[in-house]
Amino acid sequence: AQSVSQHNHHVILSEAASLELGCNYSYGGTVNLFWYVQYPGQHLQLLLKYFSGDPLVKGIKGFEAEFIKSKFSFNLRKPSVQWSDTAEYFCAVYSGGGADGLTFGKGTHLIIQP
Amino acid sequence: DGGITQSPKYLFRKEGQNVTLSCEQNLNHDAMYWYRQDPGQGLRLIYYSQIVNDFQKGDIAEGYSVSREKKESFPLTVTSAQKNPTAFYLCASSIDLGPTFQQFFGPGTRLTVL
C-alpha cells in the first residue's frame, strides 16, 4: 500500500511570510496529486491538482505546487501568506486501480499570526 | 445548487446504539465514499461505492455498514461494534476513476458518543 507523508503537523507563520508545506509519497507509478484545504468550520475543498503536463501547477488563492517525480514530492507553496490562510492542509495521491487508490496525508495545521 | 449534503451536522448518541449518517449528492457522480477524520490522522477510508448496489470496504470498515440503493444516496451506519466512534465523518463523491479523478466533499457530521 502506498503512503503519503506530510512532514509538518503544525506550522506557525507571521503574515507575509513565505510558505512551503512538504508532501512525499511512496508509489512509483503514475499518480494524480492533490492539495485540499479545510478552513475552520468549512468543507474540505480542492486547492490544486496535478494530472499531467507542466509540473508546476497553480491553484486558488495564490497557492502553487511543484511535482518533482524524482523526489516523489508535491510541495505546496505560497510566497506571502495571509491571516485567512489559517486552515488544515491535506496532500492526497491517487495511484489508480479503484476508489481505494486515493491516499491522504495526515494533514498540516497552519496558523498565521497577524 | 449542486453539491453534497450531510445531515445532521452534529450527532450525539449513547454508547451501544446504532446511528445512521446521511449523505446525498446531486452531482450525478457514480462513486461515493465515507471517510473518518481524527486529529493528526488525516482522512481514513471507511467504505466506498463505485456504482449503485455495490460497495467495498476501505481501510477501517470494522464497526460500520453502508448501503447504496440509489445513485444519489450513500448512508453510513455506525454500529455498536465500532469501538471508538466519536469522530468527524466526511462523505465524498468523485467524477470518475480515470486519469481525471477528483473528489468533492460534503460538510461533514461530527458524531459524539456519550
Side-chain angles (χ1 to χ4, degrees):
Chain A
Q2 73 158 324
S3 63
V4 178
S5 175
Q6 291 184 239
H7 312 301
N8 309 101
H9 296 302
H10 297 277
V11 173
I12 301 174
L13 295 173
S14 299
E15 275 195 311
S18 65
L19 170 71
E20 181 160 1
L21 300 182
C23 174
N24 286 88
Y25 61 94
S26 60
Y27 185 70
T30 301
V31 292
N32 296 342
L33 301 159
F34 308 84
W35 275 98
Y36 284 90
V37 61
Q38 189 175 34
Y39 297 104
Q42 293 191 28
H43 290 214
L44 204 67
Q45 55 184 286
L46 184 68
L47 259 184
L48 48 80
K49 61 188 178 187
Y50 171 81
F51 289 151
S52 63
D54 189 343
L56 183 63
V57 293
K58 295 194 184 298
I60 60 172
K61 305 190 180 189
F63 285 91
E64 65 178 31
E66 186 175 12
F67 170 49
I68 304 179
K69 190 174 182 180
S70 61
K71 294 185 178 180
F72 298 90
S73 71
F74 190 56
N75 292 354
L76 180 71
R77 301 195 292 246
K78 186 170 183 178
S80 177
V81 294
Q82 301 170 303
W83 176 79
S84 59
D85 293 324
T86 294
E88 189 95 20
Y89 293 81
F90 294 95
C91 179
V93 178
Y94 179 64
S95 56
D100 59 347
L102 182 69
T103 304
F104 282 84
K106 293 188 175 182
T108 296
H109 187 201
L110 175 66
I111 297 173
I112 306 301
Q113 295 176 330
Chain B
D1 195 17
I4 302 173
T5 56
Q6 291 185 242
S7 60
K9 188 172 182 179
Y10 298 97
L11 189 57
F12 298 87
R13 80 153 209 223
K14 291 182 180 178
E15 207 169 324
Q17 290 179 336
N18 291 358
V19 62
T20 298
L21 282 58
S22 166
C23 177
E24 304 279 329
Q25 55 102 356
N26 62 4
L27 300 168
N28 200 33
H29 290 169
D30 285 318
M32 296 187 74
Y33 314 76
W34 274 105
Y35 290 91
R36 171 180 170 137
Q37 185 180 3
D38 296 283
Q41 295 289 320
L43 275 67
R44 293 182 290 169
L45 183 64
I46 304 172
Y47 267 98
Y48 63 97
S49 168
Q50 295 180 222
I51 199 167
V52 173
N53 291 323
D54 183 57
F55 47 83
Q56 306 293 332
K57 292 182 179 180
D59 300 320
I60 56 165
E62 186 175 348
Y64 299 98
S65 66
V66 293
S67 63
R68 187 86 187 279
E69 296 175 5
K70 299 186 298 181
K71 188 175 185 177
E72 310 79 46
S73 178
F74 191 42
L76 173 75
T77 297
V78 184
T79 75
S80 56
Q82 168 49 233
K83 290 182 172 38
N84 186 20
T86 294
F88 189 55
Y89 291 88
L90 283 167
C91 179
S93 66
S94 67
I95 196 163
D96 64 44
L97 295 173
T100 56
F101 173 83
Q102 182 178 334
Q103 278 185 331
F104 298 82
F105 286 85
T109 292
R110 187 166 297 280
L111 173 65
T112 302
V113 174
L114 305 171

